[in-house]
Amino acid sequence: QVQLVESGGGSVQVGGSLTLSCVASGYTNRQFSMAWFRQAPGKEREGLACVDRVNGTAYHDYLRDRLAISRDFAKDTLYLQIKNLKPDDTAMYFCASNRAPYYGGCATTTAFYDYWGRGTQVTVSS
């Protein structure tokens, strides 16, 4: 059974940085894509960045300058660094992955993924 567990959220000052982590377990191989999403109260879940099985990445068009996604295949861990945090970044951040094996690229749409973590809260204050 695949499980995703996020960590690294918290309260941050405007202009600060944060690195989120997501540990994947239950897979028997590493042939799958992973992604980060976020959801603010009253808003739809928004795709931020993704990485595929060969480390290819894709980013949200308007946020790419402040995001850095990375994947440690040996540790089955996905990371997201967010720089220059703003109050609008306040949201629950979720990790997602798809069924393995998957040999294509990745996407930042919710329908692309089969498994979701419970999320980690990020709150940005001035």
Side-chain angles (χ1 to χ4, degrees):
Q1 183 179 356
V2 172
Q3 287 190 325
L4 303 174
V5 180
E6 303 96 334
S7 62
S11 296
V12 189
Q13 295 286 317
V14 167
S17 300
L18 206 60
T19 299
L20 306 179
S21 301
C22 170
V23 177
S25 62
Y27 281 100
T28 57
N29 59 67
R30 298 189 173 101
Q31 309 303 321
F32 56 94
S33 296
M34 299 185 77
W36 284 101
F37 291 78
R38 71 182 181 187
Q39 188 167 19
K43 294 188 177 180
E44 291 190 357
R45 195 163 293 191
E46 174 182 46
L48 301 176
C50 65
V51 57
D52 64 24
R53 67 182 185 91
V54 293
N55 231 7
T57 59
Y59 286 90
H60 183 294
D61 283 343
Y62 300 115
L63 296 172
R64 60 172 60 239
D65 290 344
R66 298 196 292 120
L67 302 176
I69 192 170
S70 60
R71 182 174 175 178
D72 186 329
F73 289 86
K75 295 182 179 179
D76 291 326
T77 302
L78 183 71
Y79 302 96
L80 182 72
Q81 183 186 38
I82 315 170
K83 298 175 285 188
N84 190 21
L85 282 156
K86 307 174 187 299
D88 283 350
D89 294 320
T90 295
M92 186 72 81
Y93 285 71
F94 298 91
C95 172
S97 63
N98 56 4
R99 288 191 182 92
Y102 179 75
Y103 301 109
C106 68
T108 53
T109 54
T110 56
F112 190 82
Y113 297 95
D114 304 294
Y115 306 108
W116 293 85
R118 293 187 175 186
T120 185
Q121 176 70 36
V122 173
T123 302
V124 184
S125 58
S126 55

